[in-house]
Amino acid sequence: MKFLFWQAFAAAVAGGFISLDRTAAFQIMISRPIVAGPLIGLVCGSLAAGIVIGSLLELLWIGDLPVGGHVPPHETAAAVIAAAVAANAKGIIPEKELFGFCILMTIPFAVLCQKADQGVRMFNKYYYHRAYAEIEKGTASGVGIFNLMAVLTLLIVNIAVFFFFITIGMMGVSRIYYIIPQEIRFAFATLFAVIPVIGIASAFNTAHSNKLAKTALFAVFILFIGLLAWHR
Amino acid sequence: MSIVLLRVDDRLVHGQTIEAWVPFCHANCLIVANDEAAKNRIQKIAIESCASRSITIKVEDIKEAVSDINSKDAGRENVMVIVSSLKDAMRLYSWGLKISSINIGNIHHNGGSMMLSPSVFIDKEDWGFLLKFKELGINIDIRAVPADKPLKIENWNI
Amino acid sequence: MQAMGFAFAISPALKKIYKEKNDFLSALKRHMKFFNTQPYMAAPIIGAVIRLEQDVKAGKLSPNDVSLFKKSLMGPYGAIGDAYFWGSLKPFASVFGVVFLALSSSLWASAAFLIIYNIPHLWMRTRGLTAGCNMGIDVVDYIKSLDIPEWGKRLRYLTICLLGAALALYYQMNGYASANIGSAVGIFSIVLFFAYLMQKGFSASMLVYIVFILCAAYWYAAPVFHFLNKYISGQVSVNL
């Protein structure tokens, strides 16, 4: 669990590029926790930790849609930070407790990163006005340049913020963890067991929540329990 | 037909409408009451493209919309009505539509300077309509999405 | 703030249409106005606008018609795109990926997620653009004929079936090996209860914290329960 500068840096850079996919470029969804988590896990030496963190966060935030003015938490930041910290501390802290702890700790970071993101977006307005002024002056190249500048600003801010939080996480986890009372550690493990249920409920809400949907969910659930029992 | 929501939104139909409001008020019929949209074939088709088997969408002019909603044979449909301005809401009322509550979601269009919420900017004329609605005992509910807290106008003396 | 993105996307086409530099710049400026829709659904709009700009150049349309066209489409297409891509396709691909991950624990699950999501996405970006270019304003008829909202509804039911499978996997992984109907109904009702709380305005993150506090309270109270249990069964007694 020693803090590895290059590991944290690599995770921050990878995370910064992955986050661009959220709003600034491509949007092919590599920024979703289910992709970002395992990738960062791989960078930090534990694919398994990345997979667990990634799939739990994915389920949890499926329902938070960017509809209208609503801004969901920065799910990529959460996945990147939690996966990096979990992969780094895996093998030293009992797994279930560690995963529950990481997810709990990363949620406020996701909200903070969202604020940083919004700040950068305010900055985009400035680039917009600059580009507009360029057109007024008679050159069109500004539109391309300032689009690129907006993306670059976002990338740099993301990398810096991620690196900062990953460093805090990697250095802090070991120190904090051993002063946490045992009851709270057990609560992390229990929480870890309950999170998938919250995630499934969140995903269910996004799809439908009418009677037919509830019936279908129950029927498939029972059918699969039967299938799994029979499979054994 | 019974009206489940009357909404003022100058962007008419967009993400907030279909994803948030329609499920929230269990609407199964959406009437866009707007004279320009009813005349504009392209806009009409674009708006109607949002329909599915669980929600029918009609684009009608103000007069047509009122008679459509007031017609008895339309059954038990839950209708959500969208207009683009307070002026059109007032016109719906004066053509004989019964209104008990009015939701104000987005008004940006006419460069009004008085801010009621981050998405509602009104001018003097709009303020006059609001006063009129208040006199008529119509509830005024200012919010963009159902999850927001409805804003009330506290100070009417401006 | 998609205005600059729109202008950026359309500037190469405008440059080809308007050979005169000043015409090009004024056309570009027109496209720096407010624009906001779902990003993938912008493709058919951009395609159609390229076609319309050619008509403007030929004098058949006024620039105002182009702005009106964009304004008419961005709201409804935003609604369609939000409901289909964010509200139906993304959850479907996510849940598929998560179930796959739970079964295989390999990066293939992430790949499967990306493939499922990106086929319709990239199709809309490319086909939307070409359809817009070829059909002009009639692209609205084409998009309507695709019946996207209805497909979204169907996809949502598939997501629900996948969730049923996910819940069963969870049930099995947590050691409820002997399929007992009581515990199954119990877990199912907890899911419905969480879903109900979320409809009432609790976010998933809030629920995580609430559950954590309850868990902590449980573990702090555990010795008390343990003691009471023993006391009731007569293993210990208290002398006052």
Side-chain angles (χ1 to χ4, degrees):
Chain A
M1 151 180 13
K2 52 187 177 330
F3 166 64
L4 299 168
F5 176 84
W6 286 110
Q7 203 177 65
F9 186 68
V13 171
F17 275 100
I18 290 173
S19 316
L20 285 186
D21 176 65
R22 281 185 89 224
T23 48
F26 328 121
Q27 297 200 316
I28 54 167
M29 292 296 137
I30 50 171
S31 57
R32 291 300 296 178
I34 194 173
V35 184
L39 280 181
I40 298 297
L42 212 56
V43 170
C44 294
S46 170
L47 177 63
I51 283 177
V52 175
I53 296 283
S55 43
L56 289 181
L57 288 178
E58 180 70 43
L59 273 181
L60 217 51
W61 284 326
I62 282 177
D64 253 342
L65 305 174
V67 168
H70 174 72
V71 193
H74 198 311
E75 74 283 342
T76 318
V80 168
I81 297 165
V85 173
N88 182 258
K90 200 176 165 254
I92 295 127
I93 296 170
E95 264 183 32
K96 287 181 182 174
E97 299 176 20
L98 173 67
F99 294 149
F101 180 61
C102 283
I103 286 182
L104 198 77
M105 287 297 137
T106 198
I107 289 175
F109 289 141
V111 176
L112 277 179
C113 288
Q114 188 54 54
K115 292 270 182 288
D117 219 53
Q118 277 169 298
V120 174
R121 253 179 248 194
M122 296 296 286
F123 217 70
N124 282 353
K125 265 191 193 153
Y126 162 77
Y127 286 131
Y128 169 83
H129 291 301
R130 286 280 299 273
Y132 200 86
E134 292 269 301
I135 297 177
E136 296 262 284
K137 266 192 267 162
T139 45
S141 56
V143 179
I145 293 169
F146 289 114
N147 255 309
L148 197 68
M149 291 274 277
V151 173
L152 267 179
T153 315
L154 191 66
L155 175 68
I156 291 166
V157 170
N158 272 336
I159 293 179
V161 170
F162 288 172
F163 182 68
F164 180 67
F165 285 141
I166 292 173
T167 308
I168 291 182
M170 284 186 176
M171 288 171 134
V173 156
S174 54
R175 281 168 210 169
I176 297 170
Y177 199 78
Y178 291 107
I179 53 169
I180 293 174
Q182 198 174 22
E183 287 84 358
I184 300 286
R185 290 193 220 166
F186 284 164
F188 289 141
T190 323
L191 175 71
F192 172 69
V194 183
I195 286 174
V197 181
I198 304 178
I200 288 173
S202 156
F204 175 73
N205 259 351
T206 321
H208 280 293
S209 50
N210 53 21
K211 241 182 218 144
L212 179 59
K214 284 173 192 160
T215 322
L217 182 70
F218 189 67
V220 177
F221 173 44
I222 296 294
L223 182 75
F224 263 79
I225 290 178
L227 274 178
L228 289 170
W230 175 72
H231 181 68
R232 268 160 194 262
Chain B
M1 293 202 200
S2 64
I3 298 185
V4 287
L5 184 79
L6 169 63
R7 176 171 166 90
V8 180
D9 188 333
D10 60 5
R11 291 174 64 196
L12 294 176
V13 175
H14 55 113
Q16 289 172 359
T17 334
I18 297 288
E19 276 293 87
W21 284 102
V22 167
F24 177 76
C25 44
H26 302 289
N28 53 19
C29 178
L30 183 67
I31 292 183
V32 177
N34 188 285
D35 293 348
E36 288 83 42
K39 266 185 280 172
N40 180 343
R41 186 183 78 93
I42 298 301
Q43 189 173 14
K44 207 171 154 173
I45 295 172
I47 292 174
E48 284 166 357
S49 310
C50 301
S52 68
R53 238 183 297 162
S54 54
I55 178 136
T56 44
I57 298 182
K58 299 176 185 175
V59 182
E60 296 170 330
D61 62 38
I62 301 282
K63 202 178 151 190
E64 211 182 335
V66 172
S67 61
D68 197 8
I69 298 163
N70 284 344
S71 64
K72 287 274 186 310
D73 53 275
R76 299 179 303 275
E77 280 175 293
N78 293 337
V79 190
M80 177 172 159
V81 185
I82 300 182
V83 291
S84 68
S85 63
L86 283 163
K87 189 176 177 186
D88 279 357
M90 189 45 99
R91 283 175 60 209
L92 278 178
Y93 177 81
S94 52
W95 278 103
L97 189 76
K98 284 209 183 72
I99 302 171
S100 60
S101 177
I102 180 167
N103 165 257
I104 304 175
N106 292 295
I107 300 180
H108 297 283
H109 58 133
N110 49 10
S113 57
M114 194 173 141
M115 180 170 139
L116 293 184
S117 87
S119 63
V120 178
F121 294 83
I122 61 165
D123 59 13
K124 270 224 169 81
E125 195 191 7
D126 289 331
W127 183 250
F129 290 126
L130 282 176
L131 279 171
K132 190 82 192 294
F133 281 129
K134 184 191 167 242
E135 273 168 33
L136 292 164
I138 292 166
N139 176 44
I140 293 164
D141 161 28
I142 304 167
R143 55 178 161 163
V145 288
D148 288 347
K149 224 180 157 183
L151 288 171
K152 288 261 181 285
I153 301 173
E154 302 286 348
N155 184 10
W156 286 93
N157 313 310
I158 296 174
Chain C
M1 261 336 206
Q2 293 174 1
M4 193 160 70
F6 191 96
F8 180 56
I10 206 165
S11 66
L14 288 180
K15 209 170 213 165
K16 278 210 177 123
I17 298 167
Y18 298 98
K19 300 281 189 312
E20 189 78 17
K21 194 183 171 198
N22 280 339
D23 292 347
F24 165 63
L25 287 173
S26 67
L28 193 61
K29 217 164 93 183
R30 281 192 275 119
H31 289 292
M32 290 284 276
K33 282 195 196 116
F34 177 78
F35 183 77
N36 189 18
T37 191
Q38 203 269 347
Y40 314 156
M41 295 300 288
I45 303 182
I46 291 174
V49 165
I50 291 172
R51 175 75 178 259
L52 293 185
E53 284 292 347
Q54 288 165 339
D55 290 350
V56 171
K57 166 84 185 180
K60 281 187 260 174
L61 282 175
S62 81
N64 217 10
D65 293 330
V66 182
S67 309
L68 186 67
F69 175 78
K70 278 168 73 180
K71 235 163 120 186
S72 308
L73 258 60
M74 64 184 187
Y77 283 12
I80 294 173
D82 280 355
Y84 181 76
F85 289 104
W86 301 154
S88 303
L89 183 63
K90 193 159 87 177
F92 173 75
S94 289
V95 176
F96 185 90
V98 169
V99 172
F100 196 159
L101 263 190
L103 288 171
S104 76
S105 294
S106 77
L107 271 175
W108 284 109
S110 307
F113 162 80
L114 289 175
I115 291 167
I116 290 183
Y117 183 81
N118 283 308
I119 288 175
H121 156 213
L122 295 174
W123 184 86
M124 177 49 86
R125 287 215 162 170
T126 51
R127 178 71 191 124
L129 190 67
T130 53
C133 280
N134 293 333
M135 302 176 196
I137 55 171
D138 292 327
V139 77
V140 290
D141 292 306
Y142 174 68
I143 296 288
K144 194 182 178 195
S145 73
L146 292 175
D147 212 4
I148 300 171
E150 196 57 46
W151 282 105
K153 291 255 151 74
R154 286 177 200 150
L155 207 51
R156 286 179 191 216
Y157 279 109
L158 270 182
T159 308
I160 289 192
C161 293
L162 280 175
L163 282 172
L167 194 59
L169 276 174
Y170 167 80
Y171 181 81
Q172 193 207 29
M173 279 175 181
N174 279 274
Y176 304 98
S178 58
N180 134 5
I181 197 77
S183 60
V185 171
I187 284 196
F188 179 73
S189 23
I190 293 173
V191 170
L192 288 193
F193 178 64
F194 281 145
Y196 171 80
L197 287 179
M198 282 183 226
Q199 281 162 28
K200 290 285 161 238
F202 289 88
S203 70
S205 330
M206 271 153 84
L207 285 183
V208 167
Y209 279 91
I210 294 171
V211 167
F212 171 70
I213 290 167
L214 291 178
C215 291
Y218 169 78
W219 284 109
Y220 273 107
V224 183
F225 291 135
H226 190 64
F227 177 78
L228 281 178
N229 210 0
K230 276 188 170 172
Y231 180 74
I232 292 164
S233 59
Q235 288 173 25
V236 287
S237 57
V238 180
N239 296 318
L240 292 171

